[in-house]
Every structure is written in structure tokens, then in C-alpha cells.
Amino acid sequence: MEFDFLSPVNSEIQAHLQNLSSQHLGRKVVFHTEKEFPDLEKIQIAIIGVLENRGDLLANAQVDLNPIRKDFYSLYPGNWHSSIADLGDILAGNDLKDTYFALEKVVESLLKKKIIPIIIGGSQDLTYPMYRAFDNLEQMVNLVAIDNKFDFGKHDEEINSNCYLSKIVVDEPNNLFNYSNLGYQTYFNSQEEADLIEKLFFEIYRLGDLSSNITISEPIFRDADIISLDLTSVKSCDSGNFVKFAPNGFNGKEICSLSRYAGLSDKVSLFGIFNHNSSTQESVLIAEIVWYFIEGIQYRANEFPFGSKDNYVKYIVTSEEEELVFYKSDKTERWWIEIQFFSNKDNKLERNTLFPCSHEDYLAACNQEIPERWWKAQRKNIN
């Protein structure tokens, strides 16, 4: 049984819950305890800790998630309708691969039950087994990393938090359709990595561009399956992480806005938060990041890929080279553009697919400018 890999929530947390009022979040969540395991048929969101940081070559302390749980459960919920369970922790295995195996199997089982896992690590290489959990779900996967680095590393390097993406790109089966990085800082990434990303038609967005206009991230999240958040992408004066000092990065408001956008996405089914430095200061921010992600889930519009095209207004933009088909939701006024299926070519996607975009992309197309995100997606589909 996959859930045998999960150890109960620490008794220290159980004692903390007794001091909370009935209105606090901690009294509205069901917990994996020594006596019982939650009935998953009634659960929509599952919180899981992974006490594994051997993939962080600079880590020198064990993972302690108790401060995060205390801060999170001391918050008050919004007008939430989703049922939440804390399934406890995956302990570090005898070998790093043992932890990967346990995490992959637990996540796969939850995804099959249509439960959204929130994984709190631990080092960011845990993104790899999260990705592998989709292997038996027979779908292409879109990964969004909120990170100041691309984490490619060297091809022959052992997997760790700085090179997990190389394994995702290279290893079979290759289910990755798109990778997007939000918040990279140029001086932390080699030109070789940037060139590789361009060659693979992946998407990257600089920290400064997102800080100037955080809303450009919304269409990117709308097409994501997995979100992997590296806490070192937040500047230290906002995160409280002075072990790995970061003078620049997202501020607290921006990282919570990104988390809420991720929750709002109808497609996001897995959210991971990594590279926590086990400080009580940073745990406050993590608690709020998780809160905003769950808040976003409450306001999902259940549009594409779950809705019908009947609720969209169709726009066709023609040019000398392309005919672009846009759809606008009459419910949320969000935009999509169609990626075409070519019967005479080897497509990664199995049919015509709607690809999230912005109103600005439609306006650009009207001015005979091909949207770059659509162009990259179209090229990935037939390569």
C-alpha cells in the first residue's frame, strides 16, 4: 500500500492543535495520526512533508516541518469549500532513491484519486519523482519552476537540487511537453543553459519582468500540471532565510500572488515547495504561500480543459503565413489560442489543443505579430 510510506503527523503538532480555537485552520483539517488515516474519498487537497534534503549539496541540517505546520494551522481559512488532509511525512529512506520511490508512488496514487498534493520539502530534486508520478497517467506534462536558476547542471552529474531538470529532459519515458521558469536571474545561469532552453522551445521569464507585471504569469500557470517553487527565489529580507543569503528575488507579496495564480489554474494538479532552510522565520512565509495556493483553488472557474467550447467566443486572425484561432471565455474573459494537430506529422499532442494566452497576444496577432508562446508551443508539438 503506497500510503504505508507516510508517517503520522508529529505529536508536537497534535498538542499544538489543542490550543487553537474552532475557527483556526488547524481545527478544520483532518490528520494522519497514530490511531487513524484520513478517508481519502472525502479529501480534495492533501498536505505531505518530505524529510529529505540529501539532494541539497549545501544542506547541513535535518528537515524540520513542525514550525511550518504550527504557523499554517494557526491561520484562519477563507470561505473555503475544499476538504483538506495532512497525511504526515515521508521519511528519508536508506538511499535517496528510496525516498524518490516513496514520493512517486504516493503522489501517483493521489493524482489517480483526483486529490491535489501539496508537497513541502526538502530539496528541490524531489521535483523529479513528482514528475515521474505522471508516467502511468498517459499525458504530456507541463512543469513551471519558480526559481532564480534553471537547474540543468552537467549531463553526467548525479541528480541534486541544482541539476534535476537535466534528468527530467533526458530520462525516458519523456512526458515533458513544456518547462517554464519564472523569476530567473541572469547572473546565476550560464549562457549555455539559456541557449539549450531556446533550442528546446521552453519559456523563461526574468525576475524584473515579473516584478514589473506579475499578471504575465497567469497564462503560464493556466497551462501547468506541476509547480515547483524554490524558496531561494525569494529575497532574504522577505523570506527570513539568511543561511543562503539572497539580496534580490521576489518579495513576500509577489510570491504569494504567484502561489494564488497557481491555485487558480484549473490544470495544476501538483504543487511543491522546496529548499526550506528550517528556520522559524521562513516558516511563516511558507505557511502563507500554502494558504494562498489553497485560496486560489477555491476560486477555480472550471474552464478548459474541463469546460465546453460553447462558452467561448471564437476569433480568427489571418495573416500571410498563419491563421490563428483565438477563444475568449464569456465567463472569466480569459483567452486561449489553438495549437493545430497535423495529421501528416508526428505530433506530441493528440488533437487540436487550446493553449492559454493573454488579450495582449490577441492584439499582437491583429497587428500581424505572431505570439512567441504560441510559436514555441507549435514547434514543440511537431518536433
Side-chain angles (χ1 to χ4, degrees), residues 249-290:
F250 292 113
N251 62 36
K253 180 180 178 181
E254 290 165 346
I255 202 68
C256 287
S257 294
L258 292 173
S259 181
R260 191 175 189 275
Y261 275 134
L264 282 168
S265 167
D266 293 313
K267 200 166 182 280
V268 168
S269 54
L270 181 55
F271 185 64
I273 304 172
F274 305 107
N275 292 343
H276 169 43
N277 74 342
S278 296
S279 71
T280 55
Q281 296 91 339
E282 196 173 36
S283 67
V284 178
L285 177 63
I286 297 171
E288 294 185 5
I289 289 171
V290 174

Side-chain angles (χ1 to χ4, degrees), residues 32 44 92 115 121 140 196 213 223 243 248 299 322 326 362:
H32 176 196
Q44 295 166 296
I115 297 172
M140 299 301 294
L196 178 58
N213 181 12
D223 197 45
V243 176
N248 293 300
Y299 294 97
E322 304 281 355
F326 289 85
Y362 168 71

